[in-house]
Amino acid sequence: MKKFRKVLDGLTTSPGTIGSPTCGSAASTPTAAPTPREIDVQEMLVSENFQICKTVRHGFPYQPTALAFDPVQKIVAIGTRTGGIRILGRPGVDCYCQHESGAAVLQLQFLINEGALVTACADDTLHLWNLRQRRPAVLHSLKFNRERITFCHLPFQSKWLYVGTERGNTHIVNIESFILSGYVIMWNKAIELATKTHPGPVVHLSDSPKDEGKLLIGFESGTVVQWDLRVKKADFRIYYDEAIHSVSWHHEGKQFMCSHSDGSLTMWNLRNTTKPFQITFPHGKVGKDGRKESCKPILKVEYKTSRNSSEPFIIFSGGLSYDKAGRRPTLTIMHGKAITVLEMDHPIVEFMVLCETPYNNEIQEPYAVVVLLEKDFIVVDLTQSNFPIFENPYPMDIHESPVTCTAYFADCPPDIIPILYSIGAKNKKTGYSQKEWPVSGGTWTLGSQTYPEIIITGHADGSIKFWDASAITLQMLYKLKTSKVFEKPKPSEGRAADLAEEDPFAVQMVSWCPHSRVFCVVGISAHVILYRFSKYDGNTQIVSLDLRLQGDGEDPVSPSETENNPCFSDPSCHSPQHPPASPGCGTPDGAKDSNQCLKVKSRPVRMPPGYQAELVVQLLWVDGEPPQQITSLDVNSAYGLLAFGNCNGLAVVDYIQKSILLCMSTLDLYGAADPYQRLTRSPRKNRQSTSDFCMRGLSNFYSDSKKRIRTSYQSLTELTDNQVSMDMERSKSPTSVPYPTSIHNDPRILPEPVASLRASHYSPVFYLLDNVKGPGRKLSLPTDLKTDLDHVNGHCTSPTSQPCSAGKPRLPVGPEGPRLTRRGPGRPPFRKAQSAACMEISLPVSHTEESRENSFSRSRSSSVSSIDRDTKEAVTTLQFGESYGRKNDALPSPCLWVGTSLGVALLIPISIPTDHEERLEEALTVGPSGGVLMLKGSILRFASLDCGGSLIQSPYEVWRDPNAPEDPDRPRRRKLVNFSPSSSQEACGDGHLAVVCSEKQAKVFLMPSQTCLFVHNITESSFVLRADVVSVCNSICLACFCANGHVMTLSLPSLRPLMDVNYLPLTDMRIARTFCFTNGGQALYLSSPTEVQRITYSQEMCDNLQEMLGELFTPIETPEAQNRGFLKGFFGGNAQNVDREELFGEAAAGKASRSLAQHIPGPAGMEGMKAAAGGVVGDLARARIALDERGQRLGELEERTALMMTSAETFSKHAHELMLKCKDKKWYQL
């Protein structure tokens, strides 16, 4: 093992050890370097430990288009507009497949009980999927070149697929070989020669239940033809005035029903096809004048018979009258004279009636209806008269309110999931069907690698959901509504009305400690809510603290302000002495114009068991301007402190004493360690102008177009296509850059500036809730990240751009102009022993074509060395922990790490009493004058390692129920768990390693000397969106997700690259905002507005993924067809079979034209894939079933032989009796 030393230069590493580190080629030796000592660090991770792959997708399929059900396997498939397929079975059986073309799925057809699925896509391609493996794959594809596919039908136990086209022709495809047959039913042959008009596209295909050789073809114009496949001619033709949408047979094959565009249902009998014997308008009423109401089309009808009732079930969607505006979509169930109308919350995409038998010539016996809505999936129980719905076991309600943020916690305490589930179960809805969920196919077992995992989602309506994500499943545990803390917002007037939020409670970010169960929520209205967990009811007075967090450090502070709301303009004042704020404390006396965004309930609130609000901190409006968006948050239960910041400054709150410890602008946090040269501030100009430029961020864009631009529920990143009026003249400047090209799926939706703006200005710590309706000023960006946006608005506040003001051309900045100068390699060092690599904040980024095409590329102005004096330095990340606040500290103490958008990492020491009683009464001391570290780009993540390379966790308080009954014998005291650096190592003495990651680079510092040991430039052309220190394979690494879609991991502490995969090349704002890493080599992101995609970057989990996934196909014997009896069979009651191979095979029908369709073979044939799909057990099971089926066929043959013998004997007997009766009679006596 090599030794770990700080030397002048050179960095040598081996896969298992760390060599001699340095800050890079440009590094210089710090003068304050510690005494060299040997620190042994054994790095265990190597590149072979990492591989990235998708694991499972949760939620509702986004933009569904098609539905299919296998009645034997009992699995359901859902197709989407983006080419995705979700296959669902019993809970745990959930599979996602994706067509490579991305074309919309038009129709799905299961090969019933065969473990295969046929999909028809909008690019006129048929695909055959093999479902006998845990990861389904395409076996064959067939691309139609000259005709558009409109409808497909696959008869049960048939290998020939009927395909209808837009031209009205019907083609036949062999499923086994996926080759087109030469047998074609041309539209001009199907209709009469006298018909002069085209019948339209094929909208229906089905074989007759009575005779498999008869094919019913429905054309859109209203023409229905029954085609005799044997003789190749039409048996009958039906012409109807209204367009046909669907056709459904009666199981006896003697009549069928059609649904039409005028809202009518027609019944046709095969004995008389000249006209329908019944026409009904289920929802059309006859007016007083005798005229019927016009109705909407009935898009689909199902005609099913039941054994227990002589009346059939007629189930259809649509058909409502047009005059009833505002009516919700309906599903109508007609059973005899009873008509039940089920109103749906969303439009119906497709529905299917689930029946007991897969045979279409038997009594169907329907028991449920699967209804696929645009944004929901429900199953209706038909066996009960009130038609209740089944409780959905899948997490289909993730998007109940749009998701605005996510958090992922792996390896949680084992007791947290059961207690959350027990409390959440009390609030579950009732009235569901008591029967078992009917989609129960597949098999799933708990994998060997399981540990408690929890996913938290925040939503636009202020709700928060806790999900059990253990063993790659997802189940909702508990739901919390943050809006219950506040009074209902009252309608505003004037300017406040323009800025009023439609979603004022939208969740922006969360912070949760699973051990102490302390939970913090940040809302878009600049409020922070702290929750404590309790198993008991509570009647609590919610404490409210208000503060003004603004960037002007020179604002005069009145005595009343200092008393009630201390804002430290003097860095030497660190320990405010004031009593705890009273509940509901309002606006300070010195700020009469300040008001709250939301009003906290002032009365005691009864809170059920679960998370109960204890404290609310709100930022106040200042001079008629709303507060800036909160950008960072952290809470520590051991310290009892809560910290948050925005682009104006930092606030630290003591939630035990309910008091504000620190409220400072970012500039004042530096104290004497300010890395910038600050010039004297000129007299303040127009206050309105300053707030407009510095506080609003996106406000200029949104306030001008708020009424014209509304975000859509269907996408967290879509804006409406309304035109936006923008003053483009304000963006003209000598250094302005063109807008980067958006890579949105459909750039035509937005005007070019808006499309560019939508995806180009994202910071991982500024969650732009572009799906949440609200004032634009709440959607401000870090000043370091919004160069392009400021060009649009005309207000350049980026530290990498030149200053400009509203409505005025940008002035060139000369060397003598007022500015803040960034120190670079060619300038005198502003701090002793600071290397050039550590001093650089950002470098100019040239605008290549590649960077312009990147949706996340940031434009950079040419003046990268100047910082506007009015620039807001945002607080981008916060973390409490034990560290050394100053270089000369001998022992670690509680500290707050503060990262800013200018790449500065501040270390603020905090003095906290150790005694329990003193902690409740004595004021804490905060000293914002600790160490300062520098990186390039906004700071994203802090972590602490001991000298052995192990992660040092933040201290926490062991959970205790705040509402538990008091025990006089055992007084309640706080029990703290502390992970101090000095206690985690003894052999290597004092000190620890600090890992700091920014958008551009990562560095490892040795504390307390603050010496940079390692530096790694993560990316030059892009920037990091999310970074976290995670545990993988019993070790730790730094995981990063970049805006260009790359997922990277770096070893710790040497920052050696371990993995770099271009995983998401076409990323968007939704993925960037919701992507998060967790321990165990897992991550997740919101792949669509309704779906969560989980991935793994651990090789070990990839190897075990097959074991964790569910089996879609299980060997099940095909149910036997009903024996209809001898008499029915003798008199022609049984369905007639047809040898389709004889009709459609190459020998009889010939070959199809090669130009008509192109066959694209899959990786293997059907039989090869079946053989390779399972192991020995699967092969044995299939062999057993094959033998059973062979025996079943032999038994059927024997039974048919016996029937024939019986029939022959009966015939012989009757013939002999007739002969005896007539033998003695003359011919004229007969």
Side-chain angles (χ1 to χ4, degrees):
M1 184 191 311
K2 296 184 180 179
K3 301 301 180 181
F4 178 53
R5 292 191 178 94
K6 177 68 184 176
V7 295
L8 292 177
D9 54 13
L11 174 61
T12 59
T13 58
S14 64
T17 61
I18 298 177
S20 301
T22 182
C23 269
S25 59
S28 60
T29 306
T31 58
T35 304
R37 63 173 180 270
E38 297 180 353
I39 303 175
D40 297 336
V41 178
Q42 180 75 30
E43 289 190 358
M44 306 302 297
L45 293 178
V46 293
S47 298
E48 287 72 20
N49 295 124
F50 296 93
Q51 180 187 350
I52 191 165
C53 68
K54 296 180 180 179
T55 55
V56 68
R57 181 172 292 205
H58 303 295
F60 179 77
Y62 184 54
Q63 296 179 332
T65 55
L67 178 70
F69 180 74
D70 188 325
V72 179
Q73 290 290 321
K74 295 191 181 302
I75 57 176
V76 68
I78 300 173
T80 69
R81 192 177 301 174
T82 57
I85 307 172
R86 285 284 293 281
I87 305 174
L88 304 169
R90 67 176 67 249
V93 178
D94 188 342
C95 179
Y96 173 78
C97 314
Q98 176 67 43
H99 291 92
E100 292 184 1
S101 64
V105 178
L106 299 181
Q107 197 173 352
L108 299 167
Q109 286 277 323
F110 275 107
L111 276 66
I112 297 176
N113 204 29
E114 293 290 336
L117 175 70
V118 175
T119 60
C121 296
D123 61 350
D124 306 310
T125 306
L126 299 174
H127 302 275
L128 179 64
W129 293 81
N130 176 30
L131 307 184
R132 294 179 177 244
Q133 54 193 47
R134 303 196 183 205
R135 293 279 194 179
V138 174
L139 298 177
H140 301 282
S141 297
L142 188 65
K143 169 71 175 175
F144 280 75
N145 298 322
R146 295 184 295 181
E147 298 193 51
R148 306 295 306 272
I149 299 174
T150 57
F151 195 86
C152 297
H153 170 64
L154 180 65
F156 177 48
Q157 293 181 328
S158 170
K159 67 176 184 178
W160 297 96
L161 173 71
Y162 301 112
V163 181
T165 67
E166 192 176 28
R167 293 187 180 181
N169 303 325
T170 301
H171 301 275
I172 301 169
V173 179
N174 188 315
I175 290 297
E176 293 180 350
S177 62
F178 234 58
I179 296 177
L180 206 60
S181 169
Y183 194 113
V184 183
I185 305 174
M186 306 299 292
W187 69 270
N188 53 356
K189 299 287 184 65
I191 65 174
E192 290 181 338
L193 296 178
T195 305
K196 297 181 180 180
T197 59
H198 191 278
V202 176
V203 295
H204 176 80
L205 292 169
S206 63
D207 53 337
S208 169
K210 190 176 181 180
D211 187 355
E212 294 178 352
K214 311 283 188 178
L215 181 66
L216 195 70
I217 307 173
F219 298 93
E220 187 181 52
S221 62
T223 302
V224 179
V225 177
Q226 179 167 289
W227 183 264
D228 192 325
L229 297 171
R230 301 181 185 90
V231 298
K232 299 183 180 180
K233 69 175 185 178
D235 285 345
F236 63 82
R237 299 177 178 89
I238 293 173
Y239 299 97
Y240 195 68
D241 296 336
E242 297 294 335
I244 291 178
H245 285 278
S246 69
V247 181
S248 183
W249 280 98
H250 188 277
H251 80 276
E252 293 180 350
K254 298 178 181 179
Q255 59 187 23
F256 60 88
M257 178 179 290
C258 300
S259 67
H260 300 277
S261 58
D262 62 345
S264 65
L265 296 174
T266 57
M267 289 281 292
W268 301 83
N269 197 307
L270 300 189
R271 293 181 179 178
N272 182 11
T273 58
T274 56
K275 63 178 181 178
F277 73 88
Q278 182 180 352
I279 303 176
T280 58
F281 288 82
H283 296 298
K285 297 180 180 179
V286 179
K288 295 181 180 179
D289 55 355
R291 300 179 59 183
K292 290 184 179 180
E293 296 178 331
S294 59
C295 297
K296 300 177 183 178
I298 295 179
L299 301 179
K300 184 176 181 180
V301 64
E302 292 269 15
Y303 187 25
K304 302 297 180 183
T305 53
S306 175
R307 186 176 292 105
N308 298 328
S309 174
S310 59
E311 298 291 343
F313 280 92
I314 300 175
I315 304 171
F316 61 89
S317 61
L320 293 179
S321 58
Y322 278 104
D323 60 349
K324 296 180 180 179
R327 286 284 297 273
R328 294 190 292 180
T330 60
L331 182 76
T332 304
I333 302 175
M334 299 174 61
H335 189 210
K337 295 183 179 180
I339 300 179
T340 304
V341 179
L342 305 178
E343 289 191 340
M344 304 294 170
D345 294 331
H346 309 287
I348 297 175
V349 176
E350 176 71 285
F351 75 89
M352 291 193 69
V353 179
L354 309 188
C355 301
E356 295 287 352
T357 176
Y359 298 93
N360 63 346
N361 59 353
E362 298 179 355
I363 297 177
Q364 299 297 287
E365 204 65 44
Y367 60 91
V369 181
V370 175
V371 187
L372 177 64
L373 308 177
E374 276 191 1
K375 296 167 186 174
D376 203 356
F377 178 78
I378 64 173
V379 180
V380 181
D381 187 357
L382 292 180
T383 61
Q384 300 183 39
S385 58
N386 58 340
F387 303 124
I389 65 172
F390 290 87
E391 184 178 4
N392 198 328
Y394 314 126
M396 293 289 188
D397 57 345
I398 293 177
H399 62 288
E400 185 179 14
S401 176
V403 178
T404 54
C405 74
T406 58
Y408 193 5
F409 300 88
D411 206 8
C412 299
D415 60 336
I416 190 69
I417 290 180
I419 194 169
L420 284 174
Y421 180 80
S422 62
I423 293 177
K426 299 176 182 178
N427 301 321
K428 278 193 174 182
K429 296 179 182 178
T430 57
Y432 293 110
S433 172
Q434 300 301 316
K435 293 196 173 182
E436 185 181 352
W437 177 253
V439 186
S440 57
T443 56
W444 179 78
T445 56
L446 201 63
S448 58
Q449 290 188 340
T450 58
Y451 43 83
E453 300 175 67
I454 289 180
I455 294 174
I456 300 176
T457 56
H459 301 266
D461 62 353
S463 62
I464 295 170
K465 295 179 180 179
F466 290 76
W467 305 85
D468 178 11
S470 307
I472 69 171
T473 61
L474 196 69
Q475 181 182 10
M476 196 175 81
L477 297 172
Y478 174 70
K479 182 177 180 180
L480 174 66
K481 295 182 179 180
T482 62
S483 58
K484 292 186 176 181
V485 174
F486 303 98
E487 302 284 358
K488 291 184 178 180
K490 297 180 179 180
S492 305
E493 296 180 358
R495 177 175 172 79
D498 294 336
L499 302 177
E501 303 223 2
E502 296 183 17
D503 293 305
F505 310 111
V507 178
Q508 186 177 342
M509 65 181 71
V510 297
S511 179
W512 185 48
C513 176
H515 301 280
S516 62
R517 303 181 188 175
V518 174
F519 187 55
C520 256
V521 181
V522 170
I524 194 174
S525 298
H527 62 269
V528 182
I529 310 175
L530 184 132
Y531 290 89
R532 302 289 290 270
F533 187 85
S534 176
K535 296 188 293 185
Y536 304 94
D537 290 338
N539 198 9
T540 310
Q541 178 78 44
I542 302 174
V543 178
S544 175
L545 298 177
D546 302 333
L547 57 88
R548 297 169 59 189
L549 195 57
Q550 57 187 24
D552 274 327
E554 298 165 16
D555 283 351
V557 181
S558 64
S560 60
E561 285 178 325
T562 306
E563 179 181 356
N564 294 291
N565 196 6
C567 296
F568 296 94
S569 58
D570 183 5
S572 62
C573 178
H574 305 315
S575 55
Q577 301 291 335
H578 58 85
S582 59
C585 69
T587 305
D589 297 337
K592 295 291 186 181
D593 59 339
S594 298
N595 60 343
Q596 301 169 330
C597 298
L598 298 171
K599 185 179 180 181
V600 181
K601 291 181 179 179
S602 57
R603 63 186 183 278
V605 180
R606 182 193 170 278
M607 299 182 185
Y611 275 102
Q612 302 172 354
E614 183 176 290
L615 175 66
V616 177
V617 183
Q618 291 194 83
L619 299 183
L620 300 174
W621 288 45
V622 179
D623 293 337
E625 292 297 325
Q628 276 288 47
Q629 176 183 347
I630 295 175
T631 61
S632 54
L633 170 73
D634 193 33
V635 62
N636 188 277
S637 57
Y639 304 156
L641 296 179
L642 164 68
F644 61 92
N646 62 7
C647 67
N648 289 329
L650 170 69
V652 180
V653 177
D654 183 351
Y655 67 79
I656 294 179
Q657 299 184 18
K658 307 298 187 297
S659 61
I660 300 171
L661 292 181
L662 184 70
C663 179
M664 263 189 166
S665 68
T666 315
L667 301 182
D668 292 333
L669 292 174
Y670 292 105
D674 192 349
Y676 300 117
Q677 292 180 349
R678 312 282 181 178
L679 300 181
T680 305
R681 184 179 291 271
S682 59
R684 182 187 302 178
K685 297 180 181 180
N686 188 308
R687 176 71 184 182
Q688 178 71 23
S689 174
T690 303
S691 60
D692 278 347
F693 304 163
C694 301
M695 297 183 65
R696 291 172 62 177
L698 286 177
S699 60
N700 291 327
F701 175 77
Y702 276 89
S703 61
D704 294 339
S705 56
K706 174 177 178 292
K707 296 182 180 179
R708 295 186 297 274
I709 298 181
R710 288 301 185 198
T711 52
S712 171
Y713 170 86
Q714 298 178 357
S715 173
L716 296 184
T717 61
E718 290 179 352
L719 294 175
T720 60
D721 55 356
N722 296 328
Q723 294 297 320
V724 183
S725 60
M726 301 175 64
D727 186 3
M728 300 306 297
E729 291 298 320
R730 295 188 298 175
S731 67
K732 294 180 179 179
S733 69
T735 58
S736 62
V737 295
Y739 299 102
T741 303
S742 172
I743 55 174
H744 191 272
N745 290 337
D746 190 1
R748 295 171 297 176
I749 295 178
L750 304 177
E752 183 178 353
V754 185
S756 301
L757 176 68
R758 179 186 57 78
S760 301
H761 307 279
Y762 170 76
S763 173
V765 294
F766 280 72
Y767 294 87
L768 301 183
L769 306 185
D770 49 336
N771 65 308
V772 179
K773 291 81 175 177
R777 62 194 70 250
K778 295 290 179 62
L779 305 177
S780 62
L781 286 165
T783 54
D784 188 40
L785 309 182
K786 56 180 181 179
T787 308
D788 286 345
L789 178 59
D790 294 329
H791 289 314
V792 175
N793 291 339
H795 312 308
C796 287
T797 58
S798 171
T800 58
S801 60
Q802 298 176 2
C804 62
S805 57
K808 297 179 182 180
R810 183 178 299 182
L811 300 177
V813 178
E816 68 281 1
R819 64 184 181 183
L820 297 180
T821 304
R822 244 186 236 198
R823 293 295 182 181
R827 303 180 184 275
F830 57 78
R831 203 171 68 181
K832 232 176 5 176
Q834 184 68 48
S835 66
C838 296
M839 289 191 302
E840 288 180 351
I841 297 177
S842 66
L843 295 174
V845 178
S846 60
H847 281 277
T848 62
E849 288 299 323
E850 180 181 359
S851 64
R852 288 193 187 101
E853 291 175 0
N854 190 339
S855 65
F856 280 93
S857 62
R858 295 195 210 152
S859 59
R860 297 289 188 183
S861 171
S862 59
S863 58
V864 297
S865 61
S866 66
I867 300 177
D868 181 14
R869 189 182 52 76
D870 288 333
T871 292
K872 297 296 182 179
E873 184 178 2
V875 177
T876 57
T877 184
L878 296 166
Q879 182 168 321
F880 288 101
E882 298 282 321
S883 187
Y884 300 87
R886 299 172 181 84
K887 290 185 178 181
N888 55 359
D889 286 354
L891 295 174
S893 62
C895 292
L896 174 62
W897 288 90
V898 181
T900 73
S901 57
L902 296 186
V904 179
L906 299 168
L907 197 55
I908 301 177
I910 306 171
S911 176
I912 301 177
T914 56
D915 183 71
H916 176 71
E917 300 298 333
E918 294 178 355
R919 177 64 185 88
L920 298 177
E921 298 176 358
E922 291 189 9
L924 277 63
T925 303
V926 181
S929 58
V932 177
L933 310 175
M934 302 292 294
L935 280 81
K936 290 192 292 186
S938 298
I939 306 296
L940 301 180
R941 178 66 174 146
F942 296 109
S944 296
L945 312 179
D946 61 21
C947 292
S950 300
L951 182 66
I952 303 175
Q953 301 287 348
S954 297
Y956 63 87
E957 176 189 2
V958 177
W959 175 74
R960 55 191 177 93
D961 199 322
N963 296 336
E966 294 284 349
D967 188 354
D969 298 334
R970 299 180 60 185
R972 297 168 57 188
R973 300 182 64 86
R974 301 176 71 218
K975 182 180 179 181
L976 307 182
V977 177
N978 194 0
F979 300 94
S980 174
S982 60
S983 62
S984 62
Q985 70 240 9
E986 296 180 359
C988 60
D990 297 335
H992 71 94
L993 304 177
V995 181
V996 186
C997 183
S998 72
E999 292 178 325
K1000 292 290 186 180
Q1001 62 180 189
K1003 290 186 179 182
V1004 176
F1005 297 90
L1006 179 62
M1007 306 299 287
S1009 65
Q1010 301 178 10
T1011 305
C1012 180
L1013 299 179
F1014 292 98
V1015 61
H1016 177 76
N1017 292 321
I1018 300 174
T1019 178
E1020 294 294 339
S1021 60
S1022 183
F1023 58 97
V1024 179
L1025 293 169
R1026 180 75 61 175
D1028 207 346
V1029 176
V1030 294
S1031 64
V1032 180
C1033 300
N1034 299 320
S1035 188
I1036 60 171
C1037 66
L1038 177 63
C1040 303
F1041 174 59
C1042 295
N1044 58 9
H1046 283 247
V1047 178
M1048 294 179 284
T1049 57
L1050 305 174
S1051 67
L1052 289 175
S1054 69
L1055 300 179
R1056 175 169 42 90
L1058 297 172
M1059 181 187 71
D1060 186 353
V1061 178
N1062 188 8
Y1063 175 67
L1064 291 170
L1066 295 179
T1067 185
D1068 57 23
M1069 289 290 288
R1070 182 191 311 109
I1071 296 175
R1073 183 173 51 246
T1074 57
F1075 196 101
C1076 51
F1077 293 100
T1078 189
N1079 294 327
Q1082 297 194 73
L1084 67 80
Y1085 58 90
L1086 207 66
S1087 58
S1088 72
T1090 61
E1091 295 170 288
V1092 171
Q1093 178 68 58
R1094 292 166 67 178
I1095 65 173
T1096 180
Y1097 48 93
S1098 167
Q1099 179 67 55
E1100 182 181 6
M1101 188 168 183
C1102 288
D1103 295 339
N1104 297 323
L1105 187 58
Q1106 290 293 326
E1107 177 190 350
M1108 303 169 69
L1109 296 175
E1111 287 273 7
L1112 295 174
F1113 178 79
T1114 53
I1116 300 175
E1117 293 185 11
T1118 303
E1120 297 182 4
Q1122 293 180 0
N1123 187 1
R1124 300 171 65 89
F1126 170 74
L1127 292 179
K1128 279 193 175 183
F1130 187 74
F1131 291 105
N1134 274 336
Q1136 297 183 26
N1137 297 325
V1138 62
D1139 188 353
R1140 295 187 177 93
E1141 180 68 31
E1142 182 180 346
L1143 293 175
F1144 307 141
E1146 185 177 338
K1151 292 183 179 181
S1153 173
R1154 292 185 178 181
S1155 61
L1156 183 61
Q1158 177 187 0
H1159 175 244
I1160 306 172
M1166 171 74 86
E1167 297 302 325
M1169 293 301 292
K1170 284 183 180 179
V1176 177
V1177 177
D1179 293 335
L1180 291 176
R1182 282 190 288 275
R1184 181 181 60 82
I1185 289 183
L1187 290 174
D1188 292 344
E1189 291 177 354
R1190 183 171 180 270
Q1192 178 184 347
R1193 293 192 187 99
L1194 291 175
E1196 291 175 356
L1197 181 61
E1198 183 179 356
E1199 183 180 353
R1200 289 177 184 175
T1201 304
L1203 287 174
M1204 292 176 64
M1205 291 178 62
T1206 304
S1207 176
E1209 290 176 358
T1210 304
F1211 180 78
S1212 174
K1213 181 180 178 181
H1214 286 298
H1216 184 69
E1217 290 177 354
L1218 183 63
M1219 184 269 295
L1220 293 176
K1221 183 178 180 181
C1222 300
K1223 73 175 182 175
D1224 295 332
K1225 294 183 179 181
K1226 302 296 182 180
W1227 63 270
Y1228 52 83
Q1229 294 177 334
L1230 296 176

